[in-house]
Amino acid sequence: MAASIPKTQKAIVFEKSGGPLLYKDIPVPTPGPDEILINVKYSGVCHTDLHAWKGDWPLDTKLPLVGGHEGAGVVVAKGDNVTNFEIGDHAGIKWLNGSCLSCEFCNLGFEPNCASALLSGYTVDGSFQQYAIAKAIHAASIPKEADLAQVAPILCAGITVYKALKESGAKPGQWVAITGAGGGLGTLCIQYARAMGLRVLGVDTGAPKEALATELGAEIFVDFAKTPDIVSEIIKLTNGGPHAVVNVAAAEKPFSLSCQYVRPRGTVVAVGLPGNAYIKSEIFSTVIKAITIKGSYVGNRADTTEAIDFFVRGLVSSPIKVVGLSELPQVYELMSKGEIAGRYVLDTSK
Ligand code: 8ID
Ligand code: ZN
């Protein structure tokens, strides 16, 4: 039997960029005809949520805003037009909350590039609340056997790195370097890469991140704070440079460095989104080495299903720490200082 839906719920709300993160009661929203209402049990905290709160990016957020876009929970209500979910199903809020499904980009499966895309925890309220709305056609379907706390980070971090690895074109047996390897996206990227048959070199800093990255499958770890010449070191360690680099670091510098150490004919993928930052690659070597530099932005519905399938099959695990929803400000503080190895997940009941 479906649980009764309360009128109000706990959420974390901010009213202006960088303003107080208020843990308070707000109304439970009602789903429209093409929407589902998800009782969010757990939500991952992505660095994107921190950018959204700080107002780092050249794109305004909705205000006031409930952030969050890695929400895993149970469908408790649905609109009349929804046919792909039933009450009681497990479902996920992801970054791409909705898109038009009829433009050039949606038609080709490039839904993240839709000009009318709705973004959870950015242009619409997200998963840092107990009850969140998603467009049914875009919501992630989560198999019942998946643990809801552990599957949460797959809904952004997992999908994003899985897609970026596909976009990198790296083939089994080849080297992929991952910058930001010890963070939320990075620790999942290591595992997807391994599951896809790639050899992983992780770049990040500090003993806890080194230990975690190595445990999860990085063959080599390069500590950027302790390595004077990262470029020549990485070229030496990978016998000519990695065939691909997936940059998930939340900082500018590693992007340009990766253009220097990537192997000739290799691909540099930009995924991390440090604000007001640029990738610089010297033209002569870009041409002579015939390298590719490209961006990769979350994933489409098919990527979502595939990324969740890797998780359900046990090919990737979630390196998470679970704390209460009310503790989001402390999580942001640790994240700002670069002190999180893996991912924090919020339990919305606390
Ligand atoms: O679709 C997308 N493109 C997408 C999706 C989701 C997230 C992009 N992102 C972006 C986020 O907005 C953020 O900018 O990816 C970036 C990483 O998100 P995250 O993994 O959630 O952040 P984190 O857990 O804080 O990890 C970042 C890691 O980068 C390392 C830090 O030590 C941390 O472990 N790092 C930094 I900061 N500087 C570095 C450097 N110079 C570095 N690693 C290597 N070299
Ligand atoms: Zn994210």
Side-chain angles (χ1 to χ4, degrees):
M1 212 180 78
S4 64
I5 302 166
K7 292 259 180 301
T8 61
Q9 58 159 336
K10 292 285 184 216
I12 299 264
V13 186
F14 62 88
E15 281 160 9
K16 60 175 183 68
S17 296
L21 293 157
L22 309 166
Y23 178 61
K24 64 177 201 174
D25 291 303
I26 63 166
V28 170
T30 308
D34 60 344
E35 294 173 341
I36 54 175
L37 180 67
I38 301 174
N39 176 202
V40 177
K41 301 291 188 193
Y42 295 95
S43 178
V45 183
C46 177
H47 207 113
T48 291
D49 300 312
L50 181 59
H51 294 300
W53 173 58
K54 287 185 172 168
D56 274 357
W57 293 344
L59 177 67
D60 287 339
T61 65
K62 164 188 177 291
L63 286 174
L65 181 71
V66 176
H69 58 275
E70 289 184 346
V74 182
V75 178
V76 291
K78 61 178 212 164
D80 287 344
N81 297 345
V82 175
T83 54
N84 61 328
F85 281 103
E86 296 303 332
I87 308 298
D89 284 352
H90 289 184
I93 298 280
K94 54 191 186 57
W95 176 248
L96 200 64
N97 191 289
S99 73
C100 81
L101 296 174
S102 60
C103 69
E104 171 193 342
F105 302 104
C106 285
N107 283 344
L108 292 168
F110 303 130
E111 300 133 23
N113 303 108
C114 173
S116 328
L118 303 174
L119 310 176
S120 304
Y122 207 94
T123 63
V124 297
D125 284 342
S127 54
F128 296 156
Q129 55 182 338
Q130 293 172 315
Y131 292 88
I133 298 261
K135 295 286 180 194
I137 216 76
H138 272 288
S141 172
I142 300 175
K144 284 263 165 80
E145 64 263 37
D147 178 88
L148 288 175
Q150 288 186 21
V151 79
I154 305 298
L155 299 168
C156 171
I159 295 167
T160 301
V161 299
Y162 171 64
K163 177 68 161 193
L165 286 162
K166 287 206 285 186
E167 290 281 320
S168 81
K171 302 209 167 44
Q174 296 187 331
W175 280 105
V176 61
I178 300 166
T179 70
L185 267 63
T187 47
L188 284 169
C189 195
I190 293 169
Q191 300 177 75
Y192 279 99
R194 285 294 300 260
M196 294 158 95
L198 304 172
R199 302 182 72 179
V200 176
L201 178 147
V203 187
D204 212 313
T205 191
K209 288 180 186 172
E210 173 164 8
L212 185 59
T214 309
E215 182 196 317
L216 295 175
E219 256 178 81
I220 301 173
F221 183 88
V222 173
D223 190 319
F224 70 82
K226 289 190 195 153
T227 312
D229 184 355
I230 287 206
V231 171
S232 50
E233 183 68 9
I234 293 181
I235 291 174
K236 192 175 79 195
L237 289 166
T238 54
N239 195 23
H243 302 80
V245 186
V246 177
N247 286 292
V248 297
E252 181 174 28
K253 206 171 160 199
F255 288 74
S256 300
L257 290 175
S258 71
C259 298
Q260 294 179 47
Y261 62 68
V262 70
R263 206 177 191 88
R265 301 212 58 82
T267 301
V268 169
V269 188
V271 177
L273 287 159
N276 190 30
Y278 293 82
I279 305 180
K280 213 166 150 188
S281 185
E282 193 248 337
I283 293 176
F284 186 78
S285 58
T286 304
V287 173
I288 299 306
K289 286 172 65 186
I291 65 171
T292 302
I293 302 169
K294 69 198 298 195
S296 186
Y297 182 35
V298 287
N300 64 15
R301 289 172 294 156
D303 301 316
T304 301
T305 307
E306 291 166 25
I308 292 174
D309 191 53
F310 271 65
F311 171 78
V312 172
R313 288 162 58 213
L315 297 171
V316 299
S317 65
S318 259
I320 57 167
K321 284 194 189 79
V322 181
V323 298
L325 176 64
S326 61
E327 293 176 62
L328 181 64
Q330 291 90 302
V331 176
Y332 279 168
E333 206 174 315
L334 290 173
M335 189 176 264
S336 293
K337 292 193 220 146
E339 285 177 5
I340 299 178
R343 197 50 130 205
Y344 269 81
V345 167
L346 308 176
D347 175 345
T348 66
S349 71
K350 295 181 198 159

